[in-house]
Amino acid sequence: MTWTFEAVAPLRFGYGRRPGEAPVADRDSLLAQVPQGAATPPGFVSGHSPARIKTLYDLNERIKNARKQNRPEELEAVREERRQFWKRAYGGDAHDRVLWSVTQPLGFYERLAFFWADHFTVSAYRRSLRHVVGPFEAEAIRPFIAGDFVTLLRHAALHPAMLVYLDQYRSYGPNSELGLDRGRGLNENLAREIIELHSLSVDGPYSQSDVRQFAELLTGLVVERKSGRQGFNPKASEPGTMRVLDRVYGASPDGLDAVLAALEDLARHPATARHIARKLAVHFLSDSPPDDVVRHMEAAYRDNDTALMPVYRALLEHPASWQTFGQKVRQPFDFLVTTLRVALPPGKLDEVTARQARMEEGDGMMGDGGRPREWPWTLRPLSRMGQLPWSPPGPDGWAEAAEAWLSPQGLTERLAMVAELVRGPWVRGKPKALIERAFGDGPVDRLGLLTLEAGNAKEARALILASPEFQRR
């Protein structure tokens, strides 16, 4: 017996099928989720980047003034206000981000949103960015997933959150007016990560000279503190022309035009096509995906001028994408969302959501050291399993390799999450029904036999959710 399309589609290209949810009919139905999702405003952010950046700017100004005026009580009060602002903004967004994926019917789109937000990492690991990581995904990633990579790269790379995360505000043209006046120079972080992580890849055909010249080209990009929006300051921009990958930029009187032209050329580079195709295949199929799948997706990217829908279609239409099921280990976010989708009936999930909504806002939303101590079925298990939303330790995002997630500690935390969930009042029903929700008509007869040996239904449900079959997709 083999895995059927109906069984593989929601597991490999989604987060599983919720009770009562109709199976995906065909590949076209999966693909149709992408533009539909891109047109749907996400319900997990309560504010936009400019307003939140402006709020933080005002708080920092009040802290600065209290320090200058030697008013220690006011200084500590405003610092606490800033801490609570970060906690509420990040904690609320992250909690709602989990439940958004649990409740949305567009599984393939949600998986792509996770992938692209990770590809263009802006991490809450850096505390000063916790208020903008959610809006970054909502504003710079999700609306453009169904478009072309030129547009997606432009919005992600130039979003204020990215400019702050990669220290672009510290980069001055060495020969610019402000660079000479303040004795400041280049910061290459944004240039390097756009080339190495976002476009060509770390193995791409570039040199250190290309990175430096691109960094010079990017000088002048700023976040306007009072508006919280991306802007351009010609006084910080390196004068003259720059050569990046044998193309010359900078002759335009508006330096931002030159930046946009360079991003467009990077997006259209053949190395970018290879990098994006392989990275998508690794995320969805296998840590070592078949070369012919990658080549097929790469050709779709090149032949359609970086349009992403043909790339997704190439992934879905290749026969190898529906074979060798189970080669990918679920990352903790994927594991948690899929578990909640298949284990909690919709009515019970509504009860959990309402119960959590009644918790006192801002009181212990995040514990000491940034660890969640509330919202027991969203942030707490993700913290223990090492994958809080939008919080990878570096700009290269979360690891894809299985060994990164199957450590003894990681497995222990997964089992602990399952044990706590099945002990609660929400997971009910016959184990056979849970197997059907979790795997459809997949060949998992072993699990049925295993549950017969369980001491009771609760133990059987735990065996299903903790099984090796459920840890993979």
Side-chain angles (χ1 to χ4, degrees):
M1 186 175 178
T2 60
W3 286 89
T4 64
F5 172 88
E6 289 75 13
V8 172
L11 296 175
R12 173 166 276 179
F13 299 105
Y15 287 116
R17 204 155 47 107
R18 293 188 64 195
E21 202 168 81
V24 177
D26 49 35
R27 291 162 177 79
D28 288 340
S29 300
L30 268 179
L31 200 63
Q33 294 180 10
V34 184
Q36 185 179 347
T40 303
F44 57 81
V45 286
S46 58
H48 300 290
S49 293
R52 288 187 176 184
I53 292 171
K54 174 69 165 53
T55 297
L56 183 61
Y57 172 76
D58 292 342
L59 287 168
N60 287 337
E61 287 298 301
R62 288 168 58 194
I63 288 172
K64 189 186 302 181
N65 291 335
R67 188 183 294 114
K68 283 183 179 179
Q69 297 169 14
N70 194 26
R71 298 161 72 174
E73 291 185 3
E74 180 181 344
L75 177 62
E76 183 53 37
V78 181
R79 282 176 170 168
E80 178 59 24
E81 187 178 344
R82 184 176 65 178
R83 283 193 290 269
Q84 291 301 320
F85 166 68
W86 277 327
K87 290 176 183 178
R88 285 192 298 271
Y90 173 74
D93 289 351
H95 163 73
D96 290 343
R97 176 67 181 87
V98 177
L99 289 185
W100 184 259
S101 288
V102 172
T103 57
Q104 291 306 294
L106 309 176
F108 185 43
Y109 172 78
E110 288 301 317
R111 287 285 309 283
L112 286 168
F114 180 94
F115 169 85
W116 286 116
D118 188 54
H119 179 79
F120 294 106
T121 288
V122 171
S123 180
Y125 200 77
R126 184 169 169 178
R127 185 178 63 174
S128 61
L129 286 164
R130 286 179 179 170
H131 60 301
V132 291
V133 288
F136 171 75
E137 180 182 327
E139 297 162 2
I141 303 298
R142 296 177 76 93
F144 308 106
I145 289 173
D148 57 73
F149 189 71
V150 169
T151 303
L152 179 58
L153 175 62
R154 183 174 73 242
H155 281 88
L158 302 184
H159 191 276
M162 185 70 75
L163 299 182
V164 174
Y165 178 55
L166 294 177
D167 300 316
Q168 185 60 27
Y169 66 95
R170 296 179 178 175
S171 188
Y172 294 80
N175 299 302
S176 68
E177 180 180 333
L178 289 179
L180 292 170
D181 181 57
R182 300 178 183 179
R184 300 283 186 86
L186 289 176
N187 185 297
E188 296 181 354
N189 287 355
L190 180 62
R192 184 173 299 280
E193 306 309 359
I194 289 175
I195 288 176
E196 291 187 351
L197 301 180
H198 303 161
S199 60
L200 305 184
S201 88
V202 69
D203 299 318
Y206 68 92
S207 67
Q208 173 57 30
S209 174
D210 291 317
V211 173
R212 181 173 180 83
Q213 292 274 290
F214 189 36
E216 290 181 356
L217 185 63
L218 294 175
T219 54
L221 290 174
V222 296
V223 178
E224 297 173 347
R225 291 186 173 185
K226 293 188 177 180
S227 71
R229 300 183 183 278
Q230 177 261 316
F232 189 84
N233 184 356
K235 293 183 179 180
S237 180
E238 179 71 4
T241 59
M242 294 84 189
R243 181 180 292 274
V244 182
L245 298 177
D246 294 327
R247 296 200 176 191
V248 177
Y249 305 93
S252 150
D254 184 354
L256 186 57
D257 285 346
V259 170
L260 295 176
L263 290 174
E264 193 168 323
D265 288 338
L266 285 170
R268 291 194 169 103
H269 197 284
T272 301
R274 288 192 293 274
H275 179 48
I276 297 302
R278 178 171 178 77
K279 194 168 181 181
L280 276 164
V282 166
H283 182 74
F284 280 97
L285 304 184
S286 166
D287 293 347
S288 301
D291 289 338
D292 54 341
V293 178
V294 176
R295 288 194 297 268
H296 188 52
M297 296 168 65
E298 180 186 344
Y301 183 100
R302 292 196 314 267
D303 294 346
N304 292 279
D305 195 24
T306 83
L308 294 171
M309 290 295 287
V311 179
Y312 308 148
R313 180 177 291 279
L315 170 66
L316 295 177
E317 71 185 9
H318 199 285
S321 295
W322 302 90
Q323 299 164 358
T324 60
F325 182 76
Q327 291 194 356
K328 284 296 294 186
V329 170
R330 294 188 187 280
Q331 295 180 18
F333 184 91
D334 182 355
F335 175 59
L336 173 65
V337 169
T338 305
T339 299
L340 294 179
R341 283 180 69 89
V342 305
L344 300 184
K348 294 298 182 183
L349 180 62
D350 293 341
E351 289 180 27
V352 175
T353 305
R355 172 176 172 165
Q356 293 178 150
R358 290 194 295 270
M359 292 180 179
E360 186 177 353
E361 187 181 58
D363 180 17
M365 184 178 298
M366 300 287 285
D368 295 338
R371 291 190 171 202
R373 64 182 184 224
E374 296 290 358
W375 297 329
W377 301 120
T378 58
L379 302 190
R380 189 171 69 191
L382 287 177
S383 177
R384 290 175 175 175
M385 291 187 288
Q387 197 178 34
L388 278 168
W390 308 302
S391 299
D396 53 347
W398 297 111
E400 286 282 356
E403 55 265 25
W405 304 109
L406 293 184
S407 66
Q409 180 180 354
L411 286 172
T412 298
E413 294 298 344
R414 290 182 186 228
L415 297 178
M417 187 203 83
V418 168
E420 191 171 356
L421 180 64
V422 299
R423 281 199 304 267
W426 302 299
V427 180
R428 291 291 183 267
K430 295 181 179 180
K432 182 180 178 181
L434 179 58
I435 293 176
E436 291 174 353
R437 292 202 301 270
F439 302 101
D441 60 358
V444 289
D445 294 341
R446 184 189 74 86
L447 286 182
L449 296 174
L450 191 63
T451 59
L452 294 176
E453 300 174 2
N456 52 54
K458 184 180 295 186
E459 182 179 325
R461 289 189 287 266
L463 287 172
I464 295 165
L465 296 174
S467 67
E469 290 89 342
F470 195 71
Q471 303 301 317
R472 294 179 173 272
R473 52 172 172 78

